[in-house]
Amino acid sequence: MADNVTSLFRSTAAHSPSMAALARESDGAGPVDFCIPCNPYFPTPAMFEDMATRLREIITYYPSSADTITAELCSLLQLPPQCVAMGNGSTELITWIDHLLVRESLAVPVPTFGRWTDQPMETGKRVDMFPLQESGGFALDLAQYAEFIRARGTKVAVICNPNNPDGGFLHKHAVVQFMDAMADLDLVVIDESFLEFADAEVEPSVVQEAMLRPNVIVLRSLGKNFGLHGIRFGYLVANPALAGRVRSMLPKWNLNSFAEHVVFMLKEHGTEYQQSLHQVRRDRMDMSGQLSSLPGLTVYPSQGNFLFVRLPVGAEGTVVRDRMLTEHRLLVRECGNKIGSSSRFLRLVVRPQVDVRRLVSGLEQVLYGTSRRGAAVPEQATGTGYSSGTAAIDRLFSETNGAGTQGLAAQAIGAGTGAPGLPAAPAAGIGMPLPAVPSPVPVGADAGMPMPAAASSGPQQMPQQAPQPLQPPPLQPPPLQPPPMQSPPVPQQPVPQQMPQQMPQQMPQHPLAAPGQVPAPAPVPAPMPAAASYPSPQMPTGPTPPGVPARGGLTAAQVRGTDGLSQAPGASWSGAQSWPEAAGMGQLS
């Protein structure tokens, strides 16, 4: 297996190898999975036994129509079926959202789920990437994000709550406020794929608010929540016109028989499902505490079923990943191929305590040299390595500001014709500053991320100060707030874009309006309180040329900050709620 590990990861540009591929390379037994964000406690063993007993029946016959399965799910979640569209996984819904509702540009904070950056670029859209700063714990400032969107003139805005891979959480009132401030955009998408694992609020979802607004879609996942990624099912919630438009494009049998079987058995297992969510939340606190005890390892607060961690200075993520897999049979997610991240970061899925103890032991041996192969962290003065390809990704997106390979092609054409407005290509690797020689990291008794006492199961010492890599002398870090720039003229030969079908200029305001009803005018953006007002700079007259940063924003090459981080306490988990509390629908009688 060791001989094939590197090739397996190289063959998947944006994701880790599938568990099936790893099992084929290891005599049929896959590793312990800290990579795929599943719910390890659901379905229950009894539910799996039921599906195994009925396997032949399930896979032999056609499922019911998607409308029938959607109606059952809506009955469970107390949602109107005309406001819901079910897809063959959330990725299918993201694809149709892009084709039908994204006209020319989309804004998204990075790092985030890769399909929100890759899918629009594949269809020729401009992707405006708003960098989440490491110095701020990767927290999303909605006011700054709104200013970035206005300055860029972006048509569609995306928020992932909690965000993947860092688990950052936004409170419901702030998300609703943002939705109203962006009421004049073509579309606002709130991706709540991991929200059911959050416990910072009792009712964190905005699905009810989305149904009342003309330009908001909420995306939800079922595979992640139920621990069934292989079934491929998810759903979106929006006003009837938006939901109906997406639903009309989906195949009649886009949902398979396994999806139907699980949806129809959920009503009998609501209690077990809620218990599984609460157990994941408890495990998240315990796992965070155990990882925080490792010297030099930074654990970021998370409301998802995963933790985002920064390796000690000098640790190379690909080396750690490969050795954890080959020496300890543990699969971890190295995040060097995520835009806005680097190979110093891992995303670790929350698992039961017995697995976490094995993970911590493996990290200790790999990072600190208690195994026969020594430590993955080099000695002082040996420098820091990063995964190959990270600098190339930085260069690609810094040169094109999200236009991808099409943007590079346009620049090559422009370079041959002397077209103005195309930025010069920076040297490879300029977008990712490398730390200089690190100094010894002290360990203090009072450092680290405070954890609830009930979840403490081991030492929680952390370095008093997160490592702060220095910039090499030839490279200067970009300012966090670059000065306003004059947009250069649009290139004479712009990137050809394949545009989707023209979408209606107006959408109905009322959620009960029929899909074919004449739409009412979109409302004027609601006024915001002064304390949380969203600036609205003067809108640009045309699309921003590739590579030009917005006022208050950064290009993709300026995404990676390496300042120290002051830890924030994790949220405590709430008491038990009855089905389906996590969907924000209230309790069933």
Side-chain angles (χ1 to χ4, degrees), residues 5 9 297 309-312 314-334 343-346 348 359 362-368 373-378 385:
V5 167
F9 281 92
L297 197 75
V309 303
R310 183 179 63 186
L311 295 170
E316 160 59 32
T318 57
V319 174
V320 174
R321 176 201 66 199
D322 292 354
R323 289 186 57 185
M324 290 290 286
L325 183 59
T326 57
E327 298 175 20
H328 302 279
R329 298 194 60 75
L330 300 171
L331 178 64
V332 301
R333 175 63 160 96
E334 177 265 328
S343 189
R344 279 195 65 194
F345 294 90
L346 302 179
L348 302 173
L359 172 72
L363 286 173
E364 286 177 334
Q365 294 180 45
V366 171
L367 291 176
Y368 311 118
R373 289 190 56 181
V377 180

mmCIF file of all heavy atoms in Angstrom, residues 5 9 297 309-312 314-334 343-346 348 359 362-368 373-378 385:
data_model
loop_
_atom_site.group_PDB
_atom_site.id
_atom_site.type_symbol
_atom_site.label_atom_id
_atom_site.label_comp_id
_atom_site.label_asym_id
_atom_site.label_seq_id
_atom_site.Cartn_x
_atom_site.Cartn_y
_atom_site.Cartn_z
ATOM 1 N N VAL A 5 0.489 5.073 -2.236
ATOM 2 C CA VAL A 5 -0.191 6.155 -1.533
ATOM 3 C C VAL A 5 -0.051 7.471 -2.274
ATOM 4 O O VAL A 5 -1.031 8.166 -2.537
ATOM 5 C CB VAL A 5 0.356 6.289 -0.095
ATOM 6 C CG1 VAL A 5 -0.100 7.604 0.529
ATOM 7 C CG2 VAL A 5 -0.133 5.137 0.749
ATOM 8 N N PHE A 9 -3.145 9.916 -4.142
ATOM 9 C CA PHE A 9 -3.514 11.285 -3.811
ATOM 10 C C PHE A 9 -3.251 12.236 -4.967
ATOM 11 O O PHE A 9 -3.952 13.218 -5.137
ATOM 12 C CB PHE A 9 -2.764 11.748 -2.552
ATOM 13 C CG PHE A 9 -3.363 11.227 -1.285
ATOM 14 C CD1 PHE A 9 -2.919 10.037 -0.729
ATOM 15 C CD2 PHE A 9 -4.380 11.902 -0.652
ATOM 16 C CE1 PHE A 9 -3.470 9.541 0.432
ATOM 17 C CE2 PHE A 9 -4.945 11.422 0.515
ATOM 18 C CZ PHE A 9 -4.493 10.241 1.058
ATOM 19 N N LEU A 297 0.485 22.313 17.965
ATOM 20 C CA LEU A 297 -0.687 22.057 17.123
ATOM 21 C C LEU A 297 -1.799 23.039 17.500
ATOM 22 O O LEU A 297 -2.175 23.142 18.669
ATOM 23 C CB LEU A 297 -1.169 20.625 17.322
ATOM 24 C CG LEU A 297 -2.112 20.069 16.253
ATOM 25 C CD1 LEU A 297 -1.337 19.733 14.984
ATOM 26 C CD2 LEU A 297 -2.835 18.832 16.769
ATOM 27 N N VAL A 309 -7.045 21.940 11.925
ATOM 28 C CA VAL A 309 -5.865 22.065 12.773
ATOM 29 C C VAL A 309 -4.683 22.532 11.936
ATOM 30 O O VAL A 309 -4.567 22.194 10.754
ATOM 31 C CB VAL A 309 -5.528 20.729 13.485
ATOM 32 C CG1 VAL A 309 -6.703 20.241 14.308
ATOM 33 C CG2 VAL A 309 -5.092 19.667 12.496
ATOM 34 N N ARG A 310 -3.825 23.317 12.572
ATOM 35 C CA ARG A 310 -2.575 23.751 11.945
ATOM 36 C C ARG A 310 -1.434 22.965 12.563
ATOM 37 O O ARG A 310 -1.273 22.931 13.791
ATOM 38 C CB ARG A 310 -2.350 25.252 12.148
ATOM 39 C CG ARG A 310 -1.090 25.772 11.439
ATOM 40 C CD ARG A 310 -0.920 27.265 11.654
ATOM 41 N NE ARG A 310 -0.728 27.587 13.062
ATOM 42 C CZ ARG A 310 -0.671 28.834 13.532
ATOM 43 N NH1 ARG A 310 -0.814 29.851 12.713
ATOM 44 N NH2 ARG A 310 -0.494 29.047 14.817
ATOM 45 N N LEU A 311 -0.635 22.353 11.703
ATOM 46 C CA LEU A 311 0.494 21.554 12.177
ATOM 47 C C LEU A 311 1.595 22.446 12.741
ATOM 48 O O LEU A 311 1.657 23.644 12.424
ATOM 49 C CB LEU A 311 1.045 20.713 11.025
ATOM 50 C CG LEU A 311 0.098 19.649 10.459
ATOM 51 C CD1 LEU A 311 0.671 19.052 9.182
ATOM 52 C CD2 LEU A 311 -0.170 18.558 11.493
ATOM 53 N N PRO A 312 2.470 21.900 13.560
ATOM 54 C CA PRO A 312 3.583 22.698 14.083
ATOM 55 C C PRO A 312 4.461 23.235 12.953
ATOM 56 O O PRO A 312 4.503 22.684 11.844
ATOM 57 C CB PRO A 312 4.363 21.692 14.944
ATOM 58 C CG PRO A 312 3.367 20.639 15.295
ATOM 59 C CD PRO A 312 2.452 20.534 14.118
ATOM 60 N N GLY A 314 7.186 23.770 10.474
ATOM 61 C CA GLY A 314 8.124 22.822 9.897
ATOM 62 C C GLY A 314 7.506 21.524 9.446
ATOM 63 O O GLY A 314 8.129 20.775 8.694
ATOM 64 N N ALA A 315 6.271 21.226 9.869
ATOM 65 C CA ALA A 315 5.630 19.975 9.473
ATOM 66 C C ALA A 315 5.041 20.111 8.077
ATOM 67 O O ALA A 315 4.382 21.103 7.770
ATOM 68 C CB ALA A 315 4.542 19.597 10.469
ATOM 69 N N GLU A 316 5.286 19.151 7.247
ATOM 70 C CA GLU A 316 4.763 19.116 5.887
ATOM 71 C C GLU A 316 3.544 18.202 5.856
ATOM 72 O O GLU A 316 3.632 17.013 6.177
ATOM 73 C CB GLU A 316 5.844 18.617 4.927
ATOM 74 C CG GLU A 316 5.358 18.078 3.604
ATOM 75 C CD GLU A 316 4.564 19.097 2.800
ATOM 76 O OE1 GLU A 316 4.865 20.302 2.907
ATOM 77 O OE2 GLU A 316 3.658 18.688 2.079
ATOM 78 N N GLY A 317 2.392 18.764 5.486
ATOM 79 C CA GLY A 317 1.132 18.038 5.575
ATOM 80 C C GLY A 317 1.079 16.770 4.765
ATOM 81 O O GLY A 317 0.499 15.766 5.203
ATOM 82 N N THR A 318 1.669 16.775 3.569
ATOM 83 C CA THR A 318 1.625 15.570 2.747
ATOM 84 C C THR A 318 2.437 14.441 3.370
ATOM 85 O O THR A 318 2.064 13.272 3.274
ATOM 86 C CB THR A 318 2.145 15.871 1.331
ATOM 87 O OG1 THR A 318 3.473 16.411 1.408
ATOM 88 C CG2 THR A 318 1.249 16.864 0.623
ATOM 89 N N VAL A 319 3.553 14.800 4.019
ATOM 90 C CA VAL A 319 4.355 13.779 4.706
ATOM 91 C C VAL A 319 3.578 13.207 5.882
ATOM 92 O O VAL A 319 3.532 11.989 6.089
ATOM 93 C CB VAL A 319 5.692 14.375 5.175
ATOM 94 C CG1 VAL A 319 6.469 13.369 6.011
ATOM 95 C CG2 VAL A 319 6.520 14.843 3.987
ATOM 96 N N VAL A 320 2.951 14.094 6.653
ATOM 97 C CA VAL A 320 2.148 13.635 7.787
ATOM 98 C C VAL A 320 1.014 12.745 7.307
ATOM 99 O O VAL A 320 0.760 11.669 7.866
ATOM 100 C CB VAL A 320 1.607 14.840 8.576
ATOM 101 C CG1 VAL A 320 0.638 14.383 9.670
ATOM 102 C CG2 VAL A 320 2.750 15.642 9.182
ATOM 103 N N ARG A 321 0.315 13.179 6.266
ATOM 104 C CA ARG A 321 -0.798 12.395 5.723
ATOM 105 C C ARG A 321 -0.349 11.001 5.286
ATOM 106 O O ARG A 321 -0.960 9.990 5.652
ATOM 107 C CB ARG A 321 -1.400 13.134 4.533
ATOM 108 C CG ARG A 321 -2.518 12.395 3.810
ATOM 109 C CD ARG A 321 -2.678 12.943 2.407
ATOM 110 N NE ARG A 321 -1.506 12.667 1.582
ATOM 111 C CZ ARG A 321 -1.222 13.331 0.453
ATOM 112 N NH1 ARG A 321 -1.996 14.306 0.048
ATOM 113 N NH2 ARG A 321 -0.139 13.005 -0.243
ATOM 114 N N ASP A 322 0.734 10.936 4.507
ATOM 115 C CA ASP A 322 1.182 9.650 3.976
ATOM 116 C C ASP A 322 1.666 8.714 5.075
ATOM 117 O O ASP A 322 1.389 7.508 5.056
ATOM 118 C CB ASP A 322 2.284 9.867 2.941
ATOM 119 C CG ASP A 322 1.777 10.536 1.672
ATOM 120 O OD1 ASP A 322 0.547 10.719 1.550
ATOM 121 O OD2 ASP A 322 2.606 10.895 0.816
ATOM 122 N N ARG A 323 2.377 9.267 6.054
ATOM 123 C CA ARG A 323 2.884 8.408 7.128
ATOM 124 C C ARG A 323 1.768 7.961 8.061
ATOM 125 O O ARG A 323 1.795 6.829 8.569
ATOM 126 C CB ARG A 323 3.992 9.133 7.899
ATOM 127 C CG ARG A 323 5.282 9.276 7.107
ATOM 128 C CD ARG A 323 6.390 9.876 7.963
ATOM 129 N NE ARG A 323 6.636 9.093 9.170
ATOM 130 C CZ ARG A 323 7.489 9.460 10.124
ATOM 131 N NH1 ARG A 323 8.179 10.588 9.998
ATOM 132 N NH2 ARG A 323 7.667 8.708 11.187
ATOM 133 N N MET A 324 0.779 8.825 8.291
ATOM 134 C CA MET A 324 -0.357 8.401 9.111
ATOM 135 C C MET A 324 -1.096 7.248 8.437
ATOM 136 O O MET A 324 -1.588 6.334 9.107
ATOM 137 C CB MET A 324 -1.307 9.581 9.336
ATOM 138 C CG MET A 324 -0.752 10.669 10.237
ATOM 139 S SD MET A 324 -0.595 10.172 11.973
ATOM 140 C CE MET A 324 -2.319 10.187 12.470
ATOM 141 N N LEU A 325 -1.155 7.273 7.120
ATOM 142 C CA LEU A 325 -1.866 6.230 6.389
ATOM 143 C C LEU A 325 -1.054 4.936 6.317
ATOM 144 O O LEU A 325 -1.570 3.842 6.576
ATOM 145 C CB LEU A 325 -2.207 6.727 4.985
ATOM 146 C CG LEU A 325 -3.025 5.785 4.101
ATOM 147 C CD1 LEU A 325 -4.360 5.458 4.762
ATOM 148 C CD2 LEU A 325 -3.260 6.425 2.730
ATOM 149 N N THR A 326 0.217 5.052 5.965
ATOM 150 C CA THR A 326 1.023 3.844 5.753
ATOM 151 C C THR A 326 1.509 3.210 7.052
ATOM 152 O O THR A 326 1.615 1.987 7.152
ATOM 153 C CB THR A 326 2.241 4.161 4.870
ATOM 154 O OG1 THR A 326 3.011 5.205 5.483
ATOM 155 C CG2 THR A 326 1.788 4.614 3.491
ATOM 156 N N GLU A 327 1.796 4.026 8.078
ATOM 157 C CA GLU A 327 2.340 3.492 9.323
ATOM 158 C C GLU A 327 1.266 3.211 10.372
ATOM 159 O O GLU A 327 1.444 2.355 11.232
ATOM 160 C CB GLU A 327 3.370 4.467 9.905
ATOM 161 C CG GLU A 327 4.579 4.692 9.012
ATOM 162 C CD GLU A 327 5.513 5.768 9.574
ATOM 163 O OE1 GLU A 327 5.435 6.047 10.792
ATOM 164 O OE2 GLU A 327 6.309 6.322 8.798
ATOM 165 N N HIS A 328 0.154 3.965 10.307
ATOM 166 C CA HIS A 328 -0.859 3.835 11.363
ATOM 167 C C HIS A 328 -2.248 3.518 10.813
ATOM 168 O O HIS A 328 -3.189 3.403 11.600
ATOM 169 C CB HIS A 328 -0.913 5.122 12.190
ATOM 170 C CG HIS A 328 0.388 5.487 12.822
ATOM 171 N ND1 HIS A 328 0.842 4.913 13.990
ATOM 172 C CD2 HIS A 328 1.361 6.364 12.425
ATOM 173 C CE1 HIS A 328 2.032 5.418 14.299
ATOM 174 N NE2 HIS A 328 2.370 6.294 13.367
ATOM 175 N N ARG A 329 -2.395 3.427 9.497
ATOM 176 C CA ARG A 329 -3.670 3.123 8.855
ATOM 177 C C ARG A 329 -4.761 4.091 9.277
ATOM 178 O O ARG A 329 -5.897 3.708 9.571
ATOM 179 C CB ARG A 329 -4.089 1.672 9.118
ATOM 180 C CG ARG A 329 -3.107 0.655 8.564
ATOM 181 C CD ARG A 329 -3.692 -0.737 8.533
ATOM 182 N NE ARG A 329 -4.898 -0.808 7.697
ATOM 183 C CZ ARG A 329 -4.894 -0.806 6.361
ATOM 184 N NH1 ARG A 329 -3.751 -0.715 5.699
ATOM 185 N NH2 ARG A 329 -6.022 -0.887 5.708
ATOM 186 N N LEU A 330 -4.410 5.377 9.294
ATOM 187 C CA LEU A 330 -5.336 6.456 9.615
ATOM 188 C C LEU A 330 -5.376 7.419 8.435
ATOM 189 O O LEU A 330 -4.329 7.907 7.994
ATOM 190 C CB LEU A 330 -4.899 7.200 10.883
ATOM 191 C CG LEU A 330 -4.804 6.367 12.168
ATOM 192 C CD1 LEU A 330 -4.159 7.187 13.275
ATOM 193 C CD2 LEU A 330 -6.193 5.897 12.606
ATOM 194 N N LEU A 331 -6.568 7.688 7.917
ATOM 195 C CA LEU A 331 -6.730 8.576 6.772
ATOM 196 C C LEU A 331 -7.109 9.966 7.250
ATOM 197 O O LEU A 331 -8.151 10.152 7.883
ATOM 198 C CB LEU A 331 -7.806 8.037 5.823
ATOM 199 C CG LEU A 331 -8.130 8.900 4.593
ATOM 200 C CD1 LEU A 331 -6.909 9.011 3.684
ATOM 201 C CD2 LEU A 331 -9.330 8.327 3.840
ATOM 202 N N VAL A 332 -6.259 10.967 6.974
ATOM 203 C CA VAL A 332 -6.538 12.353 7.352
ATOM 204 C C VAL A 332 -6.599 13.205 6.090
ATOM 205 O O VAL A 332 -6.061 12.831 5.052
ATOM 206 C CB VAL A 332 -5.473 12.906 8.326
ATOM 207 C CG1 VAL A 332 -5.413 12.071 9.595
ATOM 208 C CG2 VAL A 332 -4.097 12.959 7.654
ATOM 209 N N ARG A 333 -7.261 14.357 6.196
ATOM 210 C CA ARG A 333 -7.431 15.247 5.047
ATOM 211 C C ARG A 333 -6.410 16.373 5.115
ATOM 212 O O ARG A 333 -6.501 17.275 5.942
ATOM 213 C CB ARG A 333 -8.850 15.838 5.031
ATOM 214 C CG ARG A 333 -9.125 16.888 3.941
ATOM 215 C CD ARG A 333 -8.984 16.285 2.557
ATOM 216 N NE ARG A 333 -9.662 17.061 1.539
ATOM 217 C CZ ARG A 333 -9.081 17.981 0.749
ATOM 218 N NH1 ARG A 333 -7.791 18.251 0.911
ATOM 219 N NH2 ARG A 333 -9.768 18.611 -0.168
ATOM 220 N N GLU A 334 -5.414 16.307 4.245
ATOM 221 C CA GLU A 334 -4.431 17.390 4.121
ATOM 222 C C GLU A 334 -5.012 18.440 3.188
ATOM 223 O O GLU A 334 -5.564 18.121 2.140
ATOM 224 C CB GLU A 334 -3.123 16.806 3.571
ATOM 225 C CG GLU A 334 -2.029 17.840 3.328
ATOM 226 C CD GLU A 334 -2.029 18.304 1.884
ATOM 227 O OE1 GLU A 334 -2.363 17.508 0.992
ATOM 228 O OE2 GLU A 334 -1.703 19.490 1.662
ATOM 229 N N SER A 343 -0.564 23.306 3.006
ATOM 230 C CA SER A 343 -0.280 21.962 3.472
ATOM 231 C C SER A 343 0.031 21.924 4.973
ATOM 232 O O SER A 343 0.260 20.845 5.507
ATOM 233 C CB SER A 343 0.895 21.368 2.688
ATOM 234 O OG SER A 343 1.056 20.005 2.982
ATOM 235 N N ARG A 344 0.047 23.048 5.623
ATOM 236 C CA ARG A 344 0.229 23.045 7.084
ATOM 237 C C ARG A 344 -1.063 22.743 7.821
ATOM 238 O O ARG A 344 -1.082 22.646 9.048
ATOM 239 C CB ARG A 344 0.772 24.394 7.562
ATOM 240 C CG ARG A 344 2.271 24.563 7.383
ATOM 241 C CD ARG A 344 2.782 25.733 8.199
ATOM 242 N NE ARG A 344 2.622 25.503 9.626
ATOM 243 C CZ ARG A 344 2.729 26.461 10.542
ATOM 244 N NH1 ARG A 344 2.982 27.701 10.175
ATOM 245 N NH2 ARG A 344 2.582 26.189 11.818
ATOM 246 N N PHE A 345 -2.170 22.594 7.082
ATOM 247 C CA PHE A 345 -3.471 22.410 7.718
ATOM 248 C C PHE A 345 -4.036 21.028 7.399
ATOM 249 O O PHE A 345 -3.936 20.534 6.284
ATOM 250 C CB PHE A 345 -4.459 23.481 7.247
ATOM 251 C CG PHE A 345 -4.090 24.867 7.678
ATOM 252 C CD1 PHE A 345 -3.285 25.660 6.880
ATOM 253 C CD2 PHE A 345 -4.529 25.381 8.886
ATOM 254 C CE1 PHE A 345 -2.938 26.935 7.272
ATOM 255 C CE2 PHE A 345 -4.182 26.659 9.295
ATOM 256 C CZ PHE A 345 -3.385 27.435 8.488
ATOM 257 N N LEU A 346 -4.672 20.436 8.411
ATOM 258 C CA LEU A 346 -5.414 19.196 8.266
ATOM 259 C C LEU A 346 -6.852 19.442 8.702
ATOM 260 O O LEU A 346 -7.118 20.229 9.606
ATOM 261 C CB LEU A 346 -4.826 18.083 9.135
ATOM 262 C CG LEU A 346 -3.360 17.689 8.945
ATOM 263 C CD1 LEU A 346 -3.006 16.575 9.933
ATOM 264 C CD2 LEU A 346 -3.076 17.247 7.520
ATOM 265 N N LEU A 348 -9.759 17.171 10.317
ATOM 266 C CA LEU A 348 -9.901 15.884 10.980
ATOM 267 C C LEU A 348 -11.357 15.686 11.392
ATOM 268 O O LEU A 348 -11.912 16.495 12.140
ATOM 269 C CB LEU A 348 -8.993 15.813 12.206
ATOM 270 C CG LEU A 348 -7.496 16.036 11.927
ATOM 271 C CD1 LEU A 348 -6.719 16.115 13.239
ATOM 272 C CD2 LEU A 348 -6.938 14.925 11.038
ATOM 273 N N LEU A 359 -5.570 8.270 16.950
ATOM 274 C CA LEU A 359 -5.114 9.400 16.132
ATOM 275 C C LEU A 359 -4.051 10.205 16.856
ATOM 276 O O LEU A 359 -3.001 10.544 16.277
ATOM 277 C CB LEU A 359 -6.306 10.301 15.792
ATOM 278 C CG LEU A 359 -5.978 11.634 15.109
ATOM 279 C CD1 LEU A 359 -5.535 11.406 13.667
ATOM 280 C CD2 LEU A 359 -7.190 12.573 15.152
ATOM 281 N N GLY A 362 -0.797 8.373 16.936
ATOM 282 C CA GLY A 362 -0.127 8.396 15.650
ATOM 283 C C GLY A 362 0.508 9.735 15.347
ATOM 284 O O GLY A 362 1.642 9.804 14.835
ATOM 285 N N LEU A 363 -0.192 10.824 15.671
ATOM 286 C CA LEU A 363 0.369 12.155 15.443
ATOM 287 C C LEU A 363 1.607 12.383 16.297
ATOM 288 O O LEU A 363 2.586 13.004 15.851
ATOM 289 C CB LEU A 363 -0.688 13.226 15.730
ATOM 290 C CG LEU A 363 -1.799 13.387 14.695
ATOM 291 C CD1 LEU A 363 -2.873 14.355 15.200
ATOM 292 C CD2 LEU A 363 -1.237 13.886 13.360
ATOM 293 N N GLU A 364 1.584 11.909 17.531
ATOM 294 C CA GLU A 364 2.749 12.062 18.394
ATOM 295 C C GLU A 364 3.970 11.380 17.782
ATOM 296 O O GLU A 364 5.070 11.945 17.765
ATOM 297 C CB GLU A 364 2.452 11.472 19.775
ATOM 298 C CG GLU A 364 1.517 12.322 20.620
ATOM 299 C CD GLU A 364 1.201 11.667 21.945
ATOM 300 O OE1 GLU A 364 1.280 10.410 22.021
ATOM 301 O OE2 GLU A 364 0.866 12.376 22.904
ATOM 302 N N GLN A 365 3.768 10.178 17.256
ATOM 303 C CA GLN A 365 4.899 9.446 16.693
ATOM 304 C C GLN A 365 5.395 10.100 15.402
ATOM 305 O O GLN A 365 6.602 10.205 15.174
ATOM 306 C CB GLN A 365 4.487 7.996 16.424
ATOM 307 C CG GLN A 365 4.178 7.206 17.689
ATOM 308 C CD GLN A 365 3.779 5.773 17.389
ATOM 309 O OE1 GLN A 365 4.424 5.115 16.583
ATOM 310 N NE2 GLN A 365 2.730 5.287 18.033
ATOM 311 N N VAL A 366 4.457 10.547 14.566
ATOM 312 C CA VAL A 366 4.857 11.130 13.286
ATOM 313 C C VAL A 366 5.457 12.521 13.465
ATOM 314 O O VAL A 366 6.465 12.872 12.836
ATOM 315 C CB VAL A 366 3.647 11.173 12.323
ATOM 316 C CG1 VAL A 366 3.970 11.980 11.073
ATOM 317 C CG2 VAL A 366 3.223 9.763 11.930
ATOM 318 N N LEU A 367 4.862 13.341 14.330
ATOM 319 C CA LEU A 367 5.298 14.734 14.469
ATOM 320 C C LEU A 367 6.542 14.876 15.336
ATOM 321 O O LEU A 367 7.389 15.743 15.069
ATOM 322 C CB LEU A 367 4.170 15.579 15.061
ATOM 323 C CG LEU A 367 2.945 15.824 14.171
ATOM 324 C CD1 LEU A 367 1.876 16.587 14.948
ATOM 325 C CD2 LEU A 367 3.330 16.590 12.914
ATOM 326 N N TYR A 368 6.662 14.056 16.378
ATOM 327 C CA TYR A 368 7.696 14.310 17.371
ATOM 328 C C TYR A 368 8.760 13.222 17.433
ATOM 329 O O TYR A 368 9.611 13.224 18.326
ATOM 330 C CB TYR A 368 7.065 14.507 18.758
ATOM 331 C CG TYR A 368 5.922 15.474 18.721
ATOM 332 C CD1 TYR A 368 4.633 15.071 19.066
ATOM 333 C CD2 TYR A 368 6.102 16.799 18.306
ATOM 334 C CE1 TYR A 368 3.570 15.949 19.020
ATOM 335 C CE2 TYR A 368 5.036 17.685 18.242
ATOM 336 C CZ TYR A 368 3.776 17.254 18.598
ATOM 337 O OH TYR A 368 2.719 18.127 18.533
ATOM 338 N N ARG A 373 11.059 5.917 12.402
ATOM 339 C CA ARG A 373 11.377 6.751 11.252
ATOM 340 C C ARG A 373 11.686 8.193 11.635
ATOM 341 O O ARG A 373 12.029 8.993 10.791
ATOM 342 C CB ARG A 373 10.202 6.745 10.258
ATOM 343 C CG ARG A 373 10.039 5.417 9.545
ATOM 344 C CD ARG A 373 9.046 5.531 8.417
ATOM 345 N NE ARG A 373 9.437 6.575 7.482
ATOM 346 C CZ ARG A 373 8.717 6.892 6.401
ATOM 347 N NH1 ARG A 373 7.597 6.262 6.144
ATOM 348 N NH2 ARG A 373 9.123 7.842 5.584
ATOM 349 N N GLY A 374 11.536 8.539 12.903
ATOM 350 C CA GLY A 374 11.824 9.900 13.316
ATOM 351 C C GLY A 374 10.643 10.829 13.099
ATOM 352 O O GLY A 374 9.550 10.401 12.745
ATOM 353 N N ALA A 375 10.900 12.116 13.306
ATOM 354 C CA ALA A 375 9.820 13.103 13.261
ATOM 355 C C ALA A 375 9.629 13.654 11.859
ATOM 356 O O ALA A 375 10.561 13.769 11.084
ATOM 357 C CB ALA A 375 10.118 14.258 14.226
ATOM 358 N N ALA A 376 8.369 14.033 11.557
ATOM 359 C CA ALA A 376 8.077 14.711 10.301
ATOM 360 C C ALA A 376 8.451 16.178 10.371
ATOM 361 O O ALA A 376 8.619 16.832 9.344
ATOM 362 C CB ALA A 376 6.599 14.573 9.951
ATOM 363 N N VAL A 377 8.549 16.725 11.582
ATOM 364 C CA VAL A 377 8.945 18.125 11.748
ATOM 365 C C VAL A 377 10.463 18.198 11.698
ATOM 366 O O VAL A 377 11.143 17.569 12.504
ATOM 367 C CB VAL A 377 8.442 18.688 13.089
ATOM 368 C CG1 VAL A 377 8.850 20.136 13.245
ATOM 369 C CG2 VAL A 377 6.936 18.531 13.190
ATOM 370 N N PRO A 378 11.048 18.921 10.760
ATOM 371 C CA PRO A 378 12.511 18.988 10.668
ATOM 372 C C PRO A 378 13.104 19.722 11.846
ATOM 373 O O PRO A 378 12.430 20.468 12.550
ATOM 374 C CB PRO A 378 12.744 19.744 9.359
ATOM 375 C CG PRO A 378 11.501 20.544 9.151
ATOM 376 C CD PRO A 378 10.383 19.726 9.727
ATOM 377 N N GLY A 385 8.706 22.961 4.466
ATOM 378 C CA GLY A 385 8.247 22.529 3.162
ATOM 379 C C GLY A 385 6.753 22.620 3.038
ATOM 380 O O GLY A 385 6.031 22.543 4.017
#
